[in-house]
Amino acid sequence: MVEHVGVTDELIGIRHYLHQHPERSFKEVETSAYLARLLRGHGIDVLDTTLETGVVALIEGEVPGPRIALRADIDGLPITEDTGLPFSSLNPGVMHGCGHDLHMTGLLGAAFWLADHRDRIAGSVKIVFQPAEEVGLGARTVVESGATDDVKAIIGTHNNPNYAPGQIAIGPQPMMAGCVKFKVTLHAQGTHAGYPQKGTGPIEALASMILALQTIVSRNISPFHAVVLSITEVHGGHVWNVVPAEAGFQGTVRFFDQDDERLVHRRFVAEVEHTAEAYGITADVDWDCIQVPLVGDEELSEAVAADVPSYAALKPIHPSMAGEDFVEFSGCGARLVFAFIGSNGEPGCADWHSPHFVGVDGAIGPAIDFYVNASLRVLAELR
């Protein structure tokens, strides 16, 4: 039986407060305290953990059964908000530019409902407010704390401004890309700019590498596979008349197939090392595969998706090249269920991580309904 929970004035006020008071990754001290107070105020047990920020709570059902978890991320971004919203950020240089205020509010609404309907819960539900998603380390921190060791499945969401409020996308297809962070450091012989023959400057090599690396995807990856290689930061030299002894660049690779990531890695290292050799310098390559692609559990995702049309519009998944550390929860053995919740949908609206990003209050109700109905469905499927 599908539930339609609805949004209260309390929840709208909570969302606006959270949006006004964003905190950076692993610094969500006040946010965590605020969430814990709200949970306790609704009769929900807040658990002691080793986490410095973030909150884990537990709602026990009246009928024995499996234990699952619901997760929302809580950190803001180092962005100065420029939305004109009446509840814009009050913390200079920090903004909920990825909509984590919506995530927290949706999960709170679901937690409040579940706590008031324990007779509907055949098992128990952990409520996980996770820190530091934006730096890709928060989920791993929660897993390492042991807070999710006892859950059989974990359900998460991300608002998506490319869908309208009331639209939800979920299924067994890849949803968010795997993410690599790379850094290249070039070592050369610096010299006076007027005597380049006495050195082996790295700047020309750096420029050649950047151009060559852009051909890896176009000439090596199938056009039917989605892979992105972006160089996002370049540095070298500090003085106008000195050829530097060191230069470098860093960036990211996004992918949905791990064989593609391995191929890009091989070609990347070969391009950098051979170009460095040609210019008579050396190069170090740091390649950190931060996250694998996010793919929900096939059986559970399809079961949850089957219920969605009863309370929202089920839409096809449009995979995102953004990363999401929710996938780290598979490390504790939990089966993953993940959905996009429509948060804007207007033509030309700003996307995540923009100072102009606006997630509308209308996204809260569908998020609550999703968390509640998905939790009841997953508990039933796991019995």
Side-chain angles (χ1 to χ4, degrees):
M1 187 172 65
V2 172
E3 297 292 340
H4 295 275
V5 178
V7 182
T8 64
D9 290 341
E10 177 193 18
L11 288 168
I12 297 296
I14 288 169
R15 186 269 162 127
H16 292 181
Y17 177 87
L18 289 167
H19 190 86
Q20 287 181 303
H21 298 88
E23 295 177 291
R24 295 280 301 276
S25 304
F26 287 128
K27 300 181 184 296
E28 314 96 329
V29 176
E30 295 301 324
T31 301
S32 299
Y34 179 70
L35 294 170
R37 287 196 301 271
L38 289 170
L39 291 166
R40 292 189 180 104
H42 282 261
I44 300 171
D45 293 331
V46 175
L47 305 179
D48 291 328
T49 70
T50 60
L51 297 172
E52 294 186 9
T53 57
V55 179
V56 180
L58 178 64
I59 302 171
E60 293 275 10
E62 293 183 4
V63 179
R67 176 167 292 175
I68 65 170
L70 308 181
R71 170 268 199 178
D73 36 17
I74 69 175
D75 51 331
L77 286 159
I79 295 174
T80 298
E81 182 166 357
D82 186 19
T83 61
L85 291 172
F87 50 91
S88 292
S89 173
L90 299 176
N91 292 348
V94 188
M95 175 193 178
H96 272 304
C98 207
H100 293 184
D101 52 321
L102 291 171
H103 302 174
M104 289 184 276
T105 308
L107 182 49
L108 283 170
F112 297 166
W113 188 93
L114 290 167
D116 290 338
H117 296 81
R118 295 173 190 264
D119 60 310
R120 296 290 311 282
I121 302 174
S124 58
V125 181
K126 277 191 169 179
I127 306 298
V128 179
F129 288 100
Q130 177 214 304
E133 186 276 334
E134 296 294 357
V135 295
L137 298 173
R140 191 176 309 172
T141 301
V142 174
V143 171
E144 291 173 351
S145 77
T148 54
D149 283 353
D150 55 352
V151 302
K152 301 298 183 184
I154 185 162
I155 299 165
T157 68
H158 204 297
N159 82 91
N160 192 321
N162 300 296
Y163 296 89
Q167 296 179 341
I168 294 175
I170 179 175
Q173 300 84 18
M175 297 192 69
M176 301 189 81
C179 177
V180 168
K181 177 182 178 182
F182 62 77
K183 181 179 180 181
V184 175
T185 304
L186 307 181
H187 306 283
Q189 176 64 52
T191 183
H192 191 291
Y195 298 91
Q197 75 278 10
K198 294 186 176 182
T200 54
I203 301 299
E204 297 81 3
L206 179 149
S208 295
M209 287 176 190
I210 289 174
L211 292 174
L213 292 173
Q214 295 304 313
T215 68
I216 291 177
V217 173
S218 65
R219 309 316 300 171
N220 294 272
I221 301 297
S222 166
F224 299 103
H225 290 204
V227 178
V228 172
L229 189 157
S230 294
I231 293 164
T232 57
E233 188 269 341
V234 178
H235 62 273
H238 304 283
V239 183
W240 69 276
N241 61 350
V242 175
V243 175
E246 186 173 290
F249 57 91
Q250 60 181 346
T252 184
V253 174
R254 306 300 171 104
F255 62 95
F256 289 102
D257 185 310
Q258 289 188 275
D259 285 339
D260 290 339
E261 182 267 330
R262 287 187 280 267
L263 173 58
V264 172
H265 184 199
R266 290 196 302 272
R267 296 298 304 134
F268 189 100
V269 172
E271 292 277 11
V272 169
E273 290 183 345
H274 294 160
T275 303
E277 182 180 7
Y279 280 90
I281 65 174
T282 61
D284 298 328
V285 177
D286 295 321
W287 186 273
D288 185 7
C289 188
I290 298 172
Q291 288 154 18
V292 298
L294 173 54
V295 184
D297 179 89
E298 182 174 1
E299 181 182 356
L300 294 181
S301 296
E302 289 179 344
V304 170
D307 291 336
V308 169
S310 297
Y311 60 89
L314 181 64
K315 293 294 181 179
I317 293 172
H318 302 300
S320 170
M321 280 296 177
E324 167 59 80
D325 75 352
F326 180 77
V327 71
E328 296 286 344
F329 287 108
S330 63
C332 65
R335 297 165 70 179
L336 306 183
V337 177
F338 196 80
F340 288 138
I341 310 292
S343 61
N344 192 301
E346 292 295 323
C349 67
D351 218 316
W352 303 313
H353 293 216
S354 165
H356 308 292
F357 170 82
V358 174
V360 300
D361 289 342
I364 299 171
I368 297 171
D369 286 349
F370 176 80
Y371 274 125
V372 167
N373 289 292
S375 62
L376 297 178
R377 171 58 61 192
V378 169
L379 285 169
E381 292 292 319
L382 293 177
R383 291 191 72 184

